Amino acid sequence: MTEIFDAIIIGTGQAGPSLAQRMTREGMKTAIIERKLFGGTCVNVGCIPTKTLVASARAAHMARRGNDFGVTIEGQIKVDMKQVKSRKDAIVKQSNDGVTNWLKTMENLTVFEGHGRLESPNSVRVNGDLLEAETIVVNVGGRALVPDMPGVHDIPYLTNSSMMEVDFLPEHLIVIGGSYIGLEFAQMYRRFGSRVTVVQRGERLVEREDEDVSEAIKEIIENEGIEVRLNAECAAFEKRGNQIAVTSNCPDGPEEAVGSHVLLAVGRKPNTDDLGLEAAGVELDARGYIVVDDELRTNVPGIWAMGDVNGRGAFTHTSYNDYEILAANMFDNDPRRVSDRITTYGLFIDPPLGRVGMTEAQVRESGREALVGKMMMARVGRARERSETQGFMKILIDAKSERILGAAILGIGGDEIIHSLLDVMYADAPYTVIQRAVHIHPTVTELIPTMLGDLKPLEVL
Ligand SMILES: Cc1cc2nc3c(=O)[nH]c(=O)nc-3n(C[C@H](O)[C@H](O)[C@H](O)COP(=O)(O)OP(=O)(O)OC[C@H]3O[C@@H](n4cnc5c(N)ncnc54)[C@H](O)[C@@H]3O)c2cc1C
């Protein structure tokens, strides 16, 4: 059967449902297609469940640290993984139900459950139905990358998705990939009680960050008893009875790690391989991401792409901002653009990293004259009061314009505090605005003006 719509949205990630609401409110007869879980990665197998698990892991960690605060807990601290998972499932279900009910009761919207595939620039097939529309918006996200490492297909590896079903304690979890997703899982499972090894290909963890940030993160991770193996260029896998052996040419340690479970956290892959994009003539880049312009149009008139699939962001907030950009351009005659967005994200180990703008390495590369301020968390009263003094804050300022170029806050509350800097950047105000602001005592943010009062020229290396 062929059905005609004004717009078709493929995928219900972080942008599609909000766009569906806006389109239907604008009177457009709209279809939305979801092949699996309403709400996509973030709601079901990404941000929400992982942060829920991080919270359980922190509770276990703090219980073990009770003595540091004069709190005595009799007996051994035990983690009930079945209860940890059911708490996570309940919180995820709330969000998943919320999106599902929202979409299924939305006026003027038809929900199709199945895999959508483009058949032409203005038609999509889902199950047996052919849907046609002048406007098609792709919000299909991505999935865990499974690289062709030797032996990988002969072992029962886990990904961020299958980790969501784990309701037991792996005896020894080997995490392949020492970046944002891998480190979150590594720390949480260590805190649950597993032995954990992180195997990282590069010479340091989270290589996108500055060296001092990577080093401090390694220290945090290792302090909790996680083994970190760097320079593991040629990881290979082999099943040995109930165990899995991971070999690598790791110069800093033994060549082999043998564990009970392996988690692959080596990157993401866009869901563009089975979407019929070739039938519609939509251009992809070399890594399979949909090429879009600054307002999210693909090369095919009428087809747009939002979220991780366009390669212009890899976060929930960037996907949601894509919706805002598309809606502003489509309905409000407001030319919002992707390039107006300031890079910001978190790494949700504990304590977390909040990041905004350029790294120190990027500032140096740009060749501009800059100032740098740095303060160790050990100097921050709030951190000392809570006995959580790991990490530091660092900020980079353009010496001429006095604008904030970037910052990293690794430490207690870093993922929240970073927004005070982000907002000054969005206001396009000089750093002196926040330097002269009076902040609440005793908080971490109160020390940002102090750090800004002690800037040094960024020395050329
Ligand atoms: C473990 C993990 C933790 C994360 N934590 C954070 C975090 O803390 N903060 C943050 O900002 N980001 C985080 N992210 C990233 C975040 O989840 C994504 O950036 C976010 O979900 C945006 O995705 P999206 O809107 O592009 O689509 P997605 O959320 O990936 O959704 C795409 C949807 O499209 C559906 N779909 C795909 N193909 C088809 C098809 N052909 N037909 C029909 N439906 C289809 C999928 O089933 C899915 O439901 C995390 C990711 C992971 C994996």
Side-chain angles (χ1 to χ4, degrees):
M1 195 180 94
T2 304
E3 220 178 318
I4 315 282
F5 292 90
D6 295 317
I8 301 167
I9 300 168
I10 313 177
T12 65
Q14 292 303 303
S18 300
L19 184 67
Q21 174 165 279
R22 182 66 198 266
M23 285 176 154
T24 53
R25 282 185 180 165
E26 294 292 334
M28 292 173 81
K29 185 184 172 206
T30 306
I32 196 162
I33 308 170
E34 175 53 57
R35 71 176 176 191
K36 206 170 174 197
L37 296 166
F38 288 92
T41 308
C42 182
V43 165
N44 299 288
V45 293
C47 341
I48 292 180
T50 52
K51 272 30 123 196
T52 306
L53 294 170
V54 164
S56 287
R58 180 168 162 82
H61 178 68
M62 292 313 283
R64 285 190 202 103
R65 285 196 60 200
N67 262 333
D68 296 351
F69 300 87
V71 178
T72 308
I73 300 173
E74 301 288 344
Q76 208 193 337
I77 308 296
K78 288 192 189 144
V79 177
D80 180 338
M81 290 301 290
K82 290 211 169 3
Q83 221 177 309
V84 166
K85 178 176 178 290
S86 61
R87 173 178 178 271
K88 183 269 294 176
D89 288 344
I91 290 170
V92 167
K93 185 173 183 308
Q94 249 178 6
S95 299
N96 173 271
D97 283 352
V99 182
T100 308
N101 296 337
W102 181 33
L103 291 174
K104 289 192 171 171
T105 56
M106 201 177 283
E107 228 173 280
N108 228 357
L109 181 74
T110 310
V111 176
F112 291 87
E113 294 187 53
H115 183 100
R117 222 173 259 110
L118 286 142
E119 289 206 341
S120 73
N122 49 20
S123 65
V124 180
R125 186 166 298 277
V126 52
N127 305 325
D129 298 319
L130 189 66
L131 319 183
E132 287 185 1
E134 289 300 308
T135 301
I136 295 177
V137 185
V138 179
N139 179 216
V140 294
R143 61 183 185 273
L145 175 71
V146 179
D148 238 349
M149 295 156 125
V152 74
H153 299 296
D154 304 327
I155 59 154
Y157 60 80
L158 293 156
T159 65
N160 69 288
S161 296
S162 48
M163 280 304 279
M164 296 302 128
E165 299 312 314
V166 173
D167 65 353
F168 57 88
L169 192 67
E171 184 240 315
H172 181 181
L173 179 66
I174 303 179
V175 179
I176 313 296
S179 202
Y180 306 89
I181 292 175
L183 292 182
E184 257 182 48
F185 278 110
Q187 190 188 42
M188 88 175 64
Y189 272 84
R190 180 67 194 141
R191 289 178 168 192
F192 290 151
S194 295
R195 182 177 163 199
V196 175
T197 303
V198 173
V199 177
Q200 159 78 337
R201 196 171 62 172
E203 58 187 29
R204 54 192 178 86
L205 297 176
V206 269
E207 283 184 298
R208 196 187 295 170
E209 304 302 333
D210 284 328
E211 279 177 37
D212 52 357
V213 175
S214 287
E215 267 313 303
I217 288 172
K218 184 162 174 274
E219 211 179 296
I220 291 168
I221 290 294
E222 286 183 330
N223 275 347
E224 296 198 17
I226 296 168
E227 199 185 322
V228 176
R229 319 245 338 253
L230 302 174
N231 298 309
E233 291 300 332
C234 321
F237 306 91
E238 192 194 320
K239 194 146 175 20
R240 290 208 193 131
N242 285 338
Q243 302 284 92
I244 300 162
V246 182
T247 52
S248 58
N249 64 343
C250 191
D252 301 331
E255 289 273 312
E256 188 174 84
V258 181
S260 58
H261 295 80
V262 165
L263 164 65
L264 292 182
V266 290
R268 307 280 299 164
K269 182 182 161 70
N271 287 327
T272 50
D273 34 6
D274 189 18
L275 198 56
L277 291 167
E278 56 298 332
V282 174
E283 191 191 342
L284 300 180
D285 71 12
R287 295 179 309 145
Y289 289 89
I290 297 178
V291 177
V292 290
D293 68 13
D294 216 13
E295 291 163 2
L296 303 171
R297 291 179 196 85
T298 68
N299 62 312
V300 177
I303 302 187
W304 309 61
M306 308 187 293
D308 290 9
V309 77
N310 64 29
R312 303 288 293 266
F315 305 102
T316 285
H317 45 278
T318 49
S319 178
Y320 186 77
N321 181 235
D322 282 359
Y323 142 67
E324 294 176 312
I325 291 167
L326 201 152
N329 281 280
M330 203 175 264
F331 300 115
D332 302 330
N333 197 23
D334 177 1
R336 292 182 70 172
R337 290 179 301 252
V338 179
S339 54
D340 294 336
R341 189 151 77 201
I342 298 170
T343 301
T344 190
Y345 54 87
L347 162 58
F348 297 96
I349 55 165
D350 178 34
L353 169 71
R355 275 271 301 115
V356 66
M358 300 167 90
T359 60
E360 183 179 324
Q362 286 169 333
V363 172
R364 285 184 190 283
E365 231 174 76
S366 75
R368 74 183 83 203
E369 211 184 310
L371 304 170
V372 62
K374 191 166 175 177
M375 179 176 285
M376 302 312 284
M377 282 290 165
R379 271 195 64 195
V380 177
R382 163 58 61 88
R384 288 205 308 272
E385 289 144 14
R386 294 218 173 153
S387 292
E388 293 186 45
T389 51
Q390 304 180 92
F392 61 84
M393 307 193 264
K394 180 166 77 170
I395 190 160
L396 293 134
I397 308 287
D398 186 295
K400 288 206 174 77
S401 68
E402 298 195 330
R403 295 309 190 263
I404 299 171
L405 296 171
I409 303 184
L410 174 65
I412 180 171
D415 51 342
E416 293 286 351
I417 296 152
I418 199 76
H419 291 94
S420 60
L421 302 174
L422 177 65
D423 292 342
V424 173
M425 291 169 80
Y426 270 115
D428 194 20
Y431 78 89
T432 46
V433 169
I434 189 161
Q435 189 203 349
R436 288 170 196 184
V438 179
H439 290 172
I440 297 169
H441 173 77
T443 60
V444 181
T445 319
E446 117 186 272
L447 269 298
I448 286 178
T450 313
M451 174 172 66
L452 288 168
D454 190 23
L455 298 173
K456 308 253 181 334
L458 185 68
E459 283 170 25
V460 181
L461 293 178

